[in-house]
Amino acid sequence: MPSPRQLKWICRLWDELTDFDACHSEAALFHLMKTVCGRIDADNAVWVGAVRLMRGAAARRDPLRGWRGRVMQHWLKPPSFMRAAGQAMKDQDTPDPGMTTMAVAKRAGVFRSYRLHDGFVNLAKFKRTEHYRLFYKNLGITDRLWIAFPVNADAESYILFDRCGSSKRFSI
């Protein structure tokens, strides 16, 4: 349960977001990412819009259970992150899209949040993967927070917050 101070901050942020016209949704998203990054001491944020492309037997055979990220927005856009994001989108259609990607997709349909260092995935095993090397280590990401929520039965929204080059972990 948020404290009165936290609740006041959340309400102020929502009020600020309602001041954006619908035609300025990208500016509202960047405001949200920048504001939350400042509040939780994150170095960057990424929004991903995901859709369900498969159902039934095809989805059960799929490593991502039929879900695919289709649009991505970064708050900050360092070239190394942008190249990695493009590769990550391509890797969704490989037999091994990455342990964290599969773990997020596994519980699609419910609100969920994860921290990299919470047992979300076997971190020791994850750190030995090519996915970790390419999308975390090479980018200096030392911790990540995922917030995932369904929009409807066939769409989800994810916001990821990163800490880079820091031993400080996200906390509750």
Side-chain angles (χ1 to χ4, degrees), residues 146-163:
W146 290 260
I147 302 169
F149 48 95
V151 175
N152 59 42
D154 295 310
E156 290 204 331
S157 187
Y158 310 136
I159 300 180
L160 294 65
F161 295 98
D162 292 329
R163 287 217 173 118

PDB file of all heavy atoms in Angstrom, residues 146-163:
ATOM      1  N   TRP A 146      10.463  -5.007 -14.764  1.00  0.00           N
ATOM      2  CA  TRP A 146       9.425  -5.161 -15.787  1.00  0.00           C
ATOM      3  C   TRP A 146       8.073  -4.911 -15.143  1.00  0.00           C
ATOM      4  O   TRP A 146       7.790  -5.456 -14.061  1.00  0.00           O
ATOM      5  CB  TRP A 146       9.369  -6.589 -16.323  1.00  0.00           C
ATOM      6  CG  TRP A 146      10.473  -7.072 -17.163  1.00  0.00           C
ATOM      7  CD1 TRP A 146      10.500  -7.157 -18.535  1.00  0.00           C
ATOM      8  CD2 TRP A 146      11.722  -7.617 -16.728  1.00  0.00           C
ATOM      9  NE1 TRP A 146      11.685  -7.703 -18.950  1.00  0.00           N
ATOM     10  CE2 TRP A 146      12.447  -7.997 -17.861  1.00  0.00           C
ATOM     11  CE3 TRP A 146      12.303  -7.808 -15.468  1.00  0.00           C
ATOM     12  CZ2 TRP A 146      13.717  -8.551 -17.792  1.00  0.00           C
ATOM     13  CZ3 TRP A 146      13.567  -8.358 -15.384  1.00  0.00           C
ATOM     14  CH2 TRP A 146      14.254  -8.724 -16.544  1.00  0.00           C
ATOM     15  N   ILE A 147       7.227  -4.145 -15.805  1.00  0.00           N
ATOM     16  CA  ILE A 147       5.831  -3.992 -15.398  1.00  0.00           C
ATOM     17  C   ILE A 147       5.017  -4.332 -16.640  1.00  0.00           C
ATOM     18  O   ILE A 147       5.179  -3.709 -17.691  1.00  0.00           O
ATOM     19  CB  ILE A 147       5.528  -2.575 -14.900  1.00  0.00           C
ATOM     20  CG1 ILE A 147       6.444  -2.232 -13.717  1.00  0.00           C
ATOM     21  CG2 ILE A 147       4.058  -2.451 -14.512  1.00  0.00           C
ATOM     22  CD1 ILE A 147       6.423  -0.788 -13.321  1.00  0.00           C
ATOM     23  N   ALA A 148       4.173  -5.344 -16.521  1.00  0.00           N
ATOM     24  CA  ALA A 148       3.404  -5.836 -17.672  1.00  0.00           C
ATOM     25  C   ALA A 148       1.929  -5.865 -17.305  1.00  0.00           C
ATOM     26  O   ALA A 148       1.558  -6.316 -16.222  1.00  0.00           O
ATOM     27  CB  ALA A 148       3.883  -7.239 -18.047  1.00  0.00           C
ATOM     28  N   PHE A 149       1.114  -5.363 -18.229  1.00  0.00           N
ATOM     29  CA  PHE A 149      -0.323  -5.395 -17.941  1.00  0.00           C
ATOM     30  C   PHE A 149      -1.116  -5.592 -19.224  1.00  0.00           C
ATOM     31  O   PHE A 149      -0.769  -5.059 -20.276  1.00  0.00           O
ATOM     32  CB  PHE A 149      -0.779  -4.126 -17.208  1.00  0.00           C
ATOM     33  CG  PHE A 149      -0.299  -2.843 -17.799  1.00  0.00           C
ATOM     34  CD1 PHE A 149      -1.087  -2.136 -18.679  1.00  0.00           C
ATOM     35  CD2 PHE A 149       0.944  -2.336 -17.469  1.00  0.00           C
ATOM     36  CE1 PHE A 149      -0.646  -0.943 -19.230  1.00  0.00           C
ATOM     37  CE2 PHE A 149       1.398  -1.137 -18.002  1.00  0.00           C
ATOM     38  CZ  PHE A 149       0.599  -0.443 -18.887  1.00  0.00           C
ATOM     39  N   PRO A 150      -2.163  -6.405 -19.111  1.00  0.00           N
ATOM     40  CA  PRO A 150      -3.014  -6.628 -20.278  1.00  0.00           C
ATOM     41  C   PRO A 150      -3.825  -5.379 -20.605  1.00  0.00           C
ATOM     42  O   PRO A 150      -4.253  -4.654 -19.716  1.00  0.00           O
ATOM     43  CB  PRO A 150      -3.933  -7.772 -19.850  1.00  0.00           C
ATOM     44  CG  PRO A 150      -3.808  -7.881 -18.382  1.00  0.00           C
ATOM     45  CD  PRO A 150      -2.587  -7.161 -17.943  1.00  0.00           C
ATOM     46  N   VAL A 151      -3.990  -5.156 -21.891  1.00  0.00           N
ATOM     47  CA  VAL A 151      -4.861  -4.091 -22.375  1.00  0.00           C
ATOM     48  C   VAL A 151      -6.213  -4.709 -22.722  1.00  0.00           C
ATOM     49  O   VAL A 151      -7.261  -4.173 -22.396  1.00  0.00           O
ATOM     50  CB  VAL A 151      -4.240  -3.392 -23.603  1.00  0.00           C
ATOM     51  CG1 VAL A 151      -5.190  -2.363 -24.203  1.00  0.00           C
ATOM     52  CG2 VAL A 151      -2.909  -2.748 -23.225  1.00  0.00           C
ATOM     53  N   ASN A 152      -6.162  -5.861 -23.388  1.00  0.00           N
ATOM     54  CA  ASN A 152      -7.345  -6.678 -23.666  1.00  0.00           C
ATOM     55  C   ASN A 152      -6.845  -8.100 -23.900  1.00  0.00           C
ATOM     56  O   ASN A 152      -5.676  -8.391 -23.636  1.00  0.00           O
ATOM     57  CB  ASN A 152      -8.158  -6.115 -24.849  1.00  0.00           C
ATOM     58  CG  ASN A 152      -7.366  -6.039 -26.128  1.00  0.00           C
ATOM     59  OD1 ASN A 152      -6.597  -6.947 -26.481  1.00  0.00           O
ATOM     60  ND2 ASN A 152      -7.554  -4.960 -26.871  1.00  0.00           N
ATOM     61  N   ALA A 153      -7.681  -8.983 -24.396  1.00  0.00           N
ATOM     62  CA  ALA A 153      -7.298 -10.397 -24.545  1.00  0.00           C
ATOM     63  C   ALA A 153      -6.165 -10.607 -25.548  1.00  0.00           C
ATOM     64  O   ALA A 153      -5.477 -11.632 -25.494  1.00  0.00           O
ATOM     65  CB  ALA A 153      -8.513 -11.221 -24.959  1.00  0.00           C
ATOM     66  N   ASP A 154      -5.940  -9.652 -26.434  1.00  0.00           N
ATOM     67  CA  ASP A 154      -4.936  -9.819 -27.485  1.00  0.00           C
ATOM     68  C   ASP A 154      -3.862  -8.745 -27.508  1.00  0.00           C
ATOM     69  O   ASP A 154      -3.107  -8.636 -28.480  1.00  0.00           O
ATOM     70  CB  ASP A 154      -5.621  -9.875 -28.855  1.00  0.00           C
ATOM     71  CG  ASP A 154      -6.508 -11.107 -28.969  1.00  0.00           C
ATOM     72  OD1 ASP A 154      -6.029 -12.201 -28.666  1.00  0.00           O
ATOM     73  OD2 ASP A 154      -7.684 -10.952 -29.351  1.00  0.00           O
ATOM     74  N   ALA A 155      -3.782  -7.925 -26.469  1.00  0.00           N
ATOM     75  CA  ALA A 155      -2.760  -6.869 -26.423  1.00  0.00           C
ATOM     76  C   ALA A 155      -2.278  -6.667 -24.996  1.00  0.00           C
ATOM     77  O   ALA A 155      -3.067  -6.770 -24.048  1.00  0.00           O
ATOM     78  CB  ALA A 155      -3.324  -5.563 -26.978  1.00  0.00           C
ATOM     79  N   GLU A 156      -0.992  -6.409 -24.866  1.00  0.00           N
ATOM     80  CA  GLU A 156      -0.405  -6.115 -23.564  1.00  0.00           C
ATOM     81  C   GLU A 156       0.554  -4.938 -23.716  1.00  0.00           C
ATOM     82  O   GLU A 156       1.044  -4.657 -24.808  1.00  0.00           O
ATOM     83  CB  GLU A 156       0.366  -7.314 -23.005  1.00  0.00           C
ATOM     84  CG  GLU A 156      -0.534  -8.444 -22.595  1.00  0.00           C
ATOM     85  CD  GLU A 156       0.081  -9.344 -21.549  1.00  0.00           C
ATOM     86  OE1 GLU A 156       1.319  -9.488 -21.502  1.00  0.00           O
ATOM     87  OE2 GLU A 156      -0.705  -9.907 -20.773  1.00  0.00           O
ATOM     88  N   SER A 157       0.809  -4.292 -22.604  1.00  0.00           N
ATOM     89  CA  SER A 157       1.718  -3.168 -22.549  1.00  0.00           C
ATOM     90  C   SER A 157       2.773  -3.478 -21.495  1.00  0.00           C
ATOM     91  O   SER A 157       2.439  -3.950 -20.402  1.00  0.00           O
ATOM     92  CB  SER A 157       0.930  -1.911 -22.164  1.00  0.00           C
ATOM     93  OG  SER A 157       1.727  -0.765 -22.241  1.00  0.00           O
ATOM     94  N   TYR A 158       4.038  -3.235 -21.841  1.00  0.00           N
ATOM     95  CA  TYR A 158       5.145  -3.484 -20.907  1.00  0.00           C
ATOM     96  C   TYR A 158       5.950  -2.204 -20.773  1.00  0.00           C
ATOM     97  O   TYR A 158       6.232  -1.537 -21.761  1.00  0.00           O
ATOM     98  CB  TYR A 158       6.108  -4.561 -21.422  1.00  0.00           C
ATOM     99  CG  TYR A 158       5.483  -5.845 -21.895  1.00  0.00           C
ATOM    100  CD1 TYR A 158       5.923  -6.440 -23.071  1.00  0.00           C
ATOM    101  CD2 TYR A 158       4.465  -6.475 -21.191  1.00  0.00           C
ATOM    102  CE1 TYR A 158       5.377  -7.631 -23.521  1.00  0.00           C
ATOM    103  CE2 TYR A 158       3.915  -7.656 -21.633  1.00  0.00           C
ATOM    104  CZ  TYR A 158       4.364  -8.238 -22.794  1.00  0.00           C
ATOM    105  OH  TYR A 158       3.816  -9.407 -23.241  1.00  0.00           O
ATOM    106  N   ILE A 159       6.355  -1.893 -19.557  1.00  0.00           N
ATOM    107  CA  ILE A 159       7.321  -0.829 -19.334  1.00  0.00           C
ATOM    108  C   ILE A 159       8.484  -1.446 -18.574  1.00  0.00           C
ATOM    109  O   ILE A 159       8.292  -2.130 -17.562  1.00  0.00           O
ATOM    110  CB  ILE A 159       6.725   0.365 -18.567  1.00  0.00           C
ATOM    111  CG1 ILE A 159       5.549   0.965 -19.339  1.00  0.00           C
ATOM    112  CG2 ILE A 159       7.801   1.419 -18.332  1.00  0.00           C
ATOM    113  CD1 ILE A 159       4.888   2.144 -18.662  1.00  0.00           C
ATOM    114  N   LEU A 160       9.680  -1.247 -19.101  1.00  0.00           N
ATOM    115  CA  LEU A 160      10.901  -1.778 -18.511  1.00  0.00           C
ATOM    116  C   LEU A 160      11.747  -0.609 -18.047  1.00  0.00           C
ATOM    117  O   LEU A 160      11.892   0.383 -18.772  1.00  0.00           O
ATOM    118  CB  LEU A 160      11.704  -2.582 -19.540  1.00  0.00           C
ATOM    119  CG  LEU A 160      11.106  -3.872 -20.085  1.00  0.00           C
ATOM    120  CD1 LEU A 160       9.864  -3.666 -20.895  1.00  0.00           C
ATOM    121  CD2 LEU A 160      12.143  -4.584 -20.917  1.00  0.00           C
ATOM    122  N   PHE A 161      12.281  -0.717 -16.840  1.00  0.00           N
ATOM    123  CA  PHE A 161      13.173   0.301 -16.298  1.00  0.00           C
ATOM    124  C   PHE A 161      14.521  -0.351 -16.051  1.00  0.00           C
ATOM    125  O   PHE A 161      14.594  -1.447 -15.491  1.00  0.00           O
ATOM    126  CB  PHE A 161      12.614   0.874 -14.995  1.00  0.00           C
ATOM    127  CG  PHE A 161      11.326   1.624 -15.195  1.00  0.00           C
ATOM    128  CD1 PHE A 161      10.111   1.015 -14.960  1.00  0.00           C
ATOM    129  CD2 PHE A 161      11.336   2.942 -15.633  1.00  0.00           C
ATOM    130  CE1 PHE A 161       8.917   1.695 -15.155  1.00  0.00           C
ATOM    131  CE2 PHE A 161      10.151   3.624 -15.837  1.00  0.00           C
ATOM    132  CZ  PHE A 161       8.942   3.003 -15.596  1.00  0.00           C
ATOM    133  N   ASP A 162      15.594   0.329 -16.468  1.00  0.00           N
ATOM    134  CA  ASP A 162      16.939  -0.223 -16.369  1.00  0.00           C
ATOM    135  C   ASP A 162      17.823   0.605 -15.450  1.00  0.00           C
ATOM    136  O   ASP A 162      17.733   1.834 -15.425  1.00  0.00           O
ATOM    137  CB  ASP A 162      17.617  -0.253 -17.739  1.00  0.00           C
ATOM    138  CG  ASP A 162      16.991  -1.242 -18.699  1.00  0.00           C
ATOM    139  OD1 ASP A 162      16.465  -2.275 -18.230  1.00  0.00           O
ATOM    140  OD2 ASP A 162      17.024  -0.982 -19.915  1.00  0.00           O
ATOM    141  N   ARG A 163      18.688  -0.106 -14.749  1.00  0.00           N
ATOM    142  CA  ARG A 163      19.822   0.508 -14.066  1.00  0.00           C
ATOM    143  C   ARG A 163      21.056   0.037 -14.800  1.00  0.00           C
ATOM    144  O   ARG A 163      21.187  -1.149 -15.111  1.00  0.00           O
ATOM    145  CB  ARG A 163      19.886   0.080 -12.602  1.00  0.00           C
ATOM    146  CG  ARG A 163      18.800   0.740 -11.783  1.00  0.00           C
ATOM    147  CD  ARG A 163      19.285   1.095 -10.396  1.00  0.00           C
ATOM    148  NE  ARG A 163      18.264   1.869  -9.715  1.00  0.00           N
ATOM    149  CZ  ARG A 163      17.661   1.485  -8.610  1.00  0.00           C
ATOM    150  NH1 ARG A 163      18.004   0.359  -8.028  1.00  0.00           N
ATOM    151  NH2 ARG A 163      16.752   2.243  -8.063  1.00  0.00           N
TER     152      ARG A 163
END
